[in-house]
Amino acid sequence: MFLCPIHRQPLSIAVAMLSLALLIAMPLMAATDSTKTSLSIVGPWEVSTLEPSRAGYLFLRMQVAEALISTDLEGKPSPGLAERWQVSADGLDWRFFLRPQARFHDGSPVTAASVVMNLQRALSQPGVLSMAPVTGIIAAAPGEVSITLSKPYAMLPMLLAHSSAIILAPAAYNDKGHVRKMLGSGPYQLVRQTLPQQLELALSPHWQGKQPAIKQIHYLSASRPETRALIAESHQADLVFGFDPASMQRLRNNPKVVVKEADLARTITLKLNSGHRFLNNAETRQALSLAINRAGIAKGILRTPELAADQLLPPGIAQWHQTGAGFPKLHTDLERAKALLSAQGWQPGPDGILQRNGERFALKLNAFPDRPELPIIATALQEQFRKLGIEIKVIITNSSEIPLGHRTGTLEMGLVPRNFALVPDPFVALNQDFKTGGGDWGAMQWQNSQVPALLEKIASDTDPDAQARYRHDIILTLQQELPVIPISWYRLPVAVHPQLKGVKVDPLEQSYYISDMYWSSK
Amino acid sequence: MIKVLSHLLLRRCLQAVLVALLVSTVSFFLMHSLSGDLAFRIAAGRYGYDMVTAAAAEAVRVELGLDRPLLQGLILWWQQLLQFDLGDSYLSSAPVIEEIREQFGHTLQLALSALVLSVVIALPIGLIAGLNPHGWLDRVSLTLSIILRAFPPFLLGILLILLLSSKLGITNAANASHEHGGLFLPALTLALSLAAVSSRVARDAMVEVRRSAYFNFARTKGLSDLLALLRHGIRNAAVPVIAYLGVQLVFLMEGVIIIESLFAWPGIGHALAHAVFGRDIPMIQGTAIVMGLLFVLCNTLVDIACMLADPRQRYLASRRADA
């Protein structure tokens, strides 16, 4: 009884304080309203710096910066900052003619000198341009850039389309040569940044090309796939990229969410140390491949059965994907796998693990968690190989342990989500991976001269029919020799606002084609 | 009072110097004792796994001088520290102090909002529950406290997004800016976890006050319940609550790392997680020093607040200062 009055008083104090909490919160609750000319994008990519070699890919995709060369959805070169180009008869001198009306976002004209400065910088930084045998980059004439090579390299336009070779205004760099402002020449300019999470873009007044319908863009990096999926479900962003398999399935089943997907030139492969005494013949590697239940992994882990990889590159990469009826596809056959190993002298031990000359068939498999499905696939492989009689120890570590293990020769197996679209043509990544001596993410201690020779021919031969033959022979040899074992392909899913039209999903991840998008009332 | 305060501040300043030296040295050795090749790890952090190659790693090794002996590296680091220079980030190449200044502002905004929100939620609930121990409000708030504290902040955050953002649509799920409602959900997630415990601390403190002789005397001499509470109750109950707010800072710092990632909040917790993965040693050392100094500062503020609230503590402190 004595507490009754005091009960009422603190209760009103409590109500007042909770109301205060709501008052504090209310201004924060104001939701963003999209107008017909604005677009909000959410993706997993963080921008911790403006440096082209590290974050140029996002500014290229968002059409803030341009490279000399662009590419279409099929990966064919198209005009970028260079409206046209020509190559000398001997293939050693390339001339690029700049778009005359091109302006940087500070209003200064795009000159041959500024392009040369950017390309020379790109050549000295980690990137792809150094893969070409470049001997000189000069301003040959106003609006004309010349790149000379020591030997013909047909893929030069593809390297110039890479994000590390974007062209920025001279004023973008400080006196130490670091990028202090993002001053590109694309339709959109950076107006505000909260690194590493947020970018605000607006249509550049200096853009002379076709005027896009989208005038303002807001980009937010949300590193957690769960957050991105919830944002997509509640339509709090117009374009949302990248989901984990579980969220993806939920989004597909949600009738209110429009999901567009494109096959990526990215494949989860099992990188093998072909110099290892257990793995140094093709039959053993074929046995490993036959033991992998790709359909199970694609259905159970990736929740998309059609992603089971029957060859290195997916159907979306038409130039490299082999569709001929006689082309041998990778498949599962555990009994055949056991027979192949038995023929190599491997016999089951008392614990079911194969033995040969007193040695157990035990290997280490390195995987990394940057893509959440990788550790799960690694453990699935562990179980599938155990059925074959191979003991696998899964090591979840940093991604760099795989190239490091390649260099030191200590890597046994590595699970790799290999991106074959480092530049728009998968040739460049394939050349990195399967050239003589192998590559950090590709073949390791693999003895083969045929594939490097075919890659050399593609680099120098411009005949399309001959190139198609070389591509077929390369994929066939890789399919038979299996220096890396393809496991599954990838798809890029994008959740799109139902009223946003003109959305194209680029399988090569070169552009979001924002300038082609528009809002529709339907 | 001034003598007591100056004595306290002098002691805390000395502690701050020691903390800075110790934290920076320990973090230096810890980062260098981690397994893996530093240059490869940094290259992976800088360029992403698609572009990390042996060539990129070697370029990083040369650029950052990673081949120098450990002792030489430590001496260089101490020299930099004496000049108040935290170096440049290995990943972004920007000065660490600039990065921390930018990110720390966001974290401070989030942490303070969470703290204020937690006090606003916890104090009324705790005080009312303490005035009527074992009543229905006490039992309900105890159950809610247990549930909320048992939930990992990550899960609680997702549930709040589902409820307040996806279902009710009253706020954005994530937005790295205050004006678009990006602060509300992460602050609420942290605040609920904090309030789960601080409401119980407030409740227990209130129960103690209610049982005390001075509170009963105040009632007996004729003060109303409200006046007794305001004049004699709240101040006494505040001391353990203030002290506990200091302890909660540790939880806040733990919480912001995962909460900032979940809600795409560009704060120091999120940056620290990335720096650890990318072996951005200057960034980790700088962040560790700033966080260490922050703890010293907060503990100092809590001590001062407790002294202001409780004259007994002022008396004890002045006797210690005289001694």
Side-chain angles (χ1 to χ4, degrees), chain A residues 300-342:
Chain A
I301 299 173
L302 302 176
R303 317 280 175 104
T304 313
E306 41 296 15
L307 293 183
D310 59 25
Q311 56 184 290
L312 192 59
L313 286 155
I317 312 301
Q319 279 195 322
W320 286 88
H321 183 81
Q322 303 302 314
T323 53
F327 191 82
K329 304 278 173 74
L330 298 175
H331 61 284
T332 309
D333 186 343
L334 193 58
E335 292 312 310
R336 169 93 183 115
K338 284 180 177 171
L340 280 171
L341 291 185
S342 178

Side-chain angles (χ1 to χ4, degrees), chain B residues 187-207:
Chain B
L188 183 65
T189 308
L190 284 170
L192 285 177
S193 299
L194 296 177
V197 185
S198 53
S199 65
R200 300 312 297 169
V201 173
R203 178 259 183 209
D204 289 348
M206 199 58 227
V207 168

Side-chain angles (χ1 to χ4, degrees), chain B residues 278-298:
Chain B
R279 295 286 171 89
D280 192 350
I281 294 176
M283 191 67 198
I284 295 166
Q285 288 171 331
T287 310
I289 289 174
V290 169
M291 283 196 171
L293 293 178
L294 182 73
F295 277 112
V296 176
L297 175 70
C298 289

Side-chain angles (χ1 to χ4, degrees), chain B residues 208-221 232:
Chain B
E208 281 297 307
V209 167
R210 269 213 63 231
R211 281 184 191 147
S212 65
Y214 59 80
F215 191 84
N216 283 324
F217 178 70
R219 289 286 302 128
T220 311
K221 77 180 179 185
H232 302 284

Side-chain angles (χ1 to χ4, degrees), chain B residues 221-261:
Chain B
K221 77 180 179 185
L223 287 184
S224 70
D225 291 330
L226 181 63
L227 276 178
L229 179 72
L230 293 177
R231 288 190 188 167
H232 302 284
I234 285 186
R235 198 165 178 182
N236 277 291
V239 176
V241 176
I242 293 170
Y244 187 71
L245 284 179
V247 176
Q248 282 193 318
L249 279 168
V250 180
F251 175 80
L252 256 183
M253 286 302 144
E254 269 175 37
V256 292
I257 292 178
I258 191 68
I259 290 300
E260 285 180 352
S261 292

Side-chain angles (χ1 to χ4, degrees), chain B residues 95-253:
Chain B
V96 167
I97 195 72
E98 278 180 22
E99 297 235 325
I100 290 178
R101 192 183 301 137
E102 174 73 22
Q103 291 150 357
F104 195 65
H106 290 286
T107 298
L108 213 56
Q109 193 183 18
L110 174 60
L112 287 178
S113 306
L115 210 58
V116 170
L117 212 51
S118 80
V119 170
V120 170
I121 295 167
L123 267 191
I125 293 173
L127 292 181
I128 299 169
L131 283 170
N132 189 12
H134 311 300
W136 68 268
L137 181 67
D138 190 19
R139 286 200 294 270
V140 169
S141 72
L142 175 65
T143 311
L144 281 176
S145 290
I146 292 169
I147 293 172
L148 285 174
R149 196 65 190 93
F151 266 49
F154 177 73
L155 186 59
L156 184 62
I158 286 184
L159 289 176
L160 285 174
I161 295 176
L162 267 172
L163 178 70
L164 298 179
S165 178
S166 293
K167 298 291 173 203
L168 301 177
I170 56 173
T171 185
N172 276 343
N175 202 313
S177 100
H178 183 286
E179 63 257 43
H180 296 302
L183 180 61
F184 178 59
L185 274 182
L188 183 65
T189 308
L190 284 170
L192 285 177
S193 299
L194 296 177
V197 185
S198 53
S199 65
R200 300 312 297 169
V201 173
R203 178 259 183 209
D204 289 348
M206 199 58 227
V207 168
E208 281 297 307
V209 167
R210 269 213 63 231
R211 281 184 191 147
S212 65
Y214 59 80
F215 191 84
N216 283 324
F217 178 70
R219 289 286 302 128
T220 311
K221 77 180 179 185
L223 287 184
S224 70
D225 291 330
L226 181 63
L227 276 178
L229 179 72
L230 293 177
R231 288 190 188 167
H232 302 284
I234 285 186
R235 198 165 178 182
N236 277 291
V239 176
V241 176
I242 293 170
Y244 187 71
L245 284 179
V247 176
Q248 282 193 318
L249 279 168
V250 180
F251 175 80
L252 256 183
M253 286 302 144

